[in-house]
Amino acid sequence: MSLSAVLLAAGPSPSPTPSDSETPRVPSLQDAQESATNAAGWVEQNWSTWLAIGLRVLLIVAIAVILRVVVRRSITKLIDRMNRNHQTGESSAIGGLLVNVERRRQRSQAIGSVLRSVASFLIIGTAALMILGTFQINLAPLLASAGVAGVAIGFGARNLVTDFLSGVFMILEDQYGVGDTIDAGVASGEVIEVGLRVTKLRGDGGEIWYVRNGEVKRIGNLSQGWATANVDVTVHAGEDLDRVKATLDEVAEKMGAEEPWNELLWGPIEVLGLDSVLLDSMVVRVTAKTMPGKSLTVERELRWRIKRAFDAAGIRIVGGATAPVEEQPVDPTAGMAAPSVYANATSPQSAAASPLAPPAPTSTTK
């Protein structure tokens, strides 16, 4: 029986006096018992639904946490395995990528950070949507709004997305790193900072280039693997080739044994032979494998030593592809004609060659 029914059965209550209206009514024990009974009935009717929702949310959270931990550890182990394989490959061949320990560590941290962030975003986002669906929240408007916003952002920031994706693949493929000298087409120089959107280059004149990763169509890395130092020596066609080769071999052997050139050279300096034979000159090519970025230094030193060795051996070096033709001393009188007898006006030849004088006119008198 409810409280309202009991009050109706008791009859009309007397009108409250002013003193009664000012005194608050104290709930009776019966009122408390009725409220508790109603609350217990409501809990009894909905406890199974609450329990099911709570268990479902707890299960989703637990699976998301476990999956996130497993994926992050898998990514870390995968990157460590890639680094170990990369180190093994470098130790077995000189031609492998020249990547030092610090650069490898930075690259691994960047790749791992990007992959872990993407994995965490996908897992947490999916778990959040599943939890909202558990509470019977209509996700259709939310997903539609997110889709429209994503399309709008994609059209408005397509260059930004292109730069970001290009930066991610650049880091994953290790196309270049800090300290490398690259030719990016739009600019060239030494890499001073690598980002997911912009790469900073320092040019030969000291200027800093900010190159967006999405604008790079080709990359020429001059600091990976090894470089080649080529020196062409042009000698006179009359020089003895055996003596030229012996002198070059001596210079190469001596330079390869001295410091710091023995560290910059990744192989012996080789005399390849005649690169071309012209009418008045011969070109002999000398080559060597060097450390990345040190080819110009080796070429300058090699030219210096070759010039000094050839001067000491008396071997003539010509300055161009074709040697200038040696001219004999010019006789200043060679262009002068021999004296002629006709130059003397009193000579018989001059008299015979001179025109006859016209006869003098005669006058007649009558």
Side-chain angles (χ1 to χ4, degrees):
M1 176 179 281
S2 63
L3 180 60
S4 60
V6 173
L7 295 176
L8 290 175
S13 59
S15 59
T17 60
S19 59
D20 293 338
S21 61
E22 295 178 0
T23 304
R25 180 176 177 277
V26 179
S28 63
L29 180 60
Q30 187 177 0
D31 295 339
Q33 183 178 0
E34 185 178 357
S35 300
T37 302
N38 293 335
W42 186 77
V43 170
E44 184 179 359
Q45 292 177 359
N46 298 281
W47 74 270
S48 58
T49 305
W50 290 358
L51 182 60
I53 293 175
L55 291 178
R56 189 176 301 176
V57 171
L58 183 61
L59 181 62
I60 292 173
V61 172
I63 293 176
V65 171
I66 295 174
L67 185 61
R68 180 173 177 270
V69 172
V70 171
V71 171
R72 291 172 66 91
R73 289 186 178 179
S74 301
I75 292 173
T76 303
K77 290 182 179 180
L78 177 62
I79 293 176
D80 292 341
R81 185 179 301 175
M82 290 173 58
N83 288 333
R84 288 196 297 268
N85 295 336
H86 188 73
Q87 293 176 4
T88 304
E90 283 182 353
S91 61
S92 60
I94 294 179
L97 297 178
L98 183 64
V99 183
N100 54 25
V101 178
E102 182 63 21
R103 174 178 166 182
R104 190 184 303 115
R105 185 185 64 82
Q106 294 178 357
R107 175 172 170 260
S108 301
Q109 289 181 353
I111 295 174
S113 177
V114 171
L115 295 180
R116 283 190 291 267
S117 298
V118 172
S120 299
F121 176 77
L122 293 177
I123 294 173
I124 295 176
T126 304
L129 292 178
M130 293 178 66
I131 291 174
L132 292 177
T134 302
F135 286 102
Q136 297 181 354
I137 297 176
N138 189 9
L139 300 178
L142 179 62
L143 296 178
S145 302
V148 173
V151 172
I153 294 174
F155 277 107
R158 57 185 181 275
N159 292 332
L160 180 62
V161 175
T162 302
D163 298 340
F164 179 81
L165 293 178
S166 300
V168 170
F169 282 105
M170 179 270 299
I171 293 177
L172 290 176
E173 297 172 359
D174 192 24
Q175 298 177 5
Y176 54 84
V178 176
D180 290 350
T181 302
I182 66 172
D183 181 4
V186 294
S188 60
E190 181 182 355
V191 180
I192 59 177
E193 184 177 340
V194 178
L196 292 177
R197 192 182 68 86
V198 175
T199 298
K200 291 183 181 180
L201 303 178
R202 184 175 295 278
D204 296 334
E207 66 277 7
I208 297 180
W209 298 96
Y210 293 85
V211 181
R212 286 170 41 198
N213 296 328
E215 293 183 350
V216 178
K217 304 300 180 182
R218 62 175 178 84
I219 291 292
N221 197 325
L222 307 179
S223 300
Q224 288 185 352
W226 44 267
T228 303
N230 294 319
V231 175
D232 293 334
V233 183
T234 306
V235 297
H236 197 273
E239 296 293 338
D240 186 4
L241 290 178
D242 294 334
R243 191 159 66 99
V244 171
K245 188 176 186 304
T247 305
L248 292 176
D249 290 337
E250 182 181 356
V251 171
E253 183 179 358
K254 184 177 180 181
M255 181 176 175
E258 295 180 359
E259 293 183 357
W261 310 110
N262 55 356
E263 298 179 358
L264 300 181
L265 294 171
W266 280 17
I269 302 176
E270 300 179 0
V271 181
L272 299 181
L274 285 177
D275 190 66
S276 62
V277 179
L278 303 178
L279 181 62
D280 299 319
S281 62
M282 301 179 296
V283 179
V284 182
R285 171 158 291 189
V286 182
T287 184
K289 288 184 178 180
T290 67
M291 290 180 60
K294 300 298 181 181
S295 59
L296 294 179
T297 304
V298 174
E299 288 178 1
R300 295 188 182 99
E301 180 66 20
L302 193 56
R303 291 191 187 97
W304 182 282
R305 292 172 180 260
I306 289 175
K307 180 63 171 64
R308 295 181 61 181
F310 277 15
D311 290 344
I315 300 175
R316 291 175 295 175
I317 299 178
V318 296
T322 304
V325 179
E326 294 183 359
E327 299 180 355
Q328 298 294 332
V330 180
D331 186 4
T333 62
M336 299 175 61
S340 176
V341 295
Y342 295 101
N344 188 2
T346 59
S347 64
Q349 291 82 358
S350 297
S354 61
L356 296 176
T362 60
S363 62
T364 60
T365 60
K366 292 182 179 182

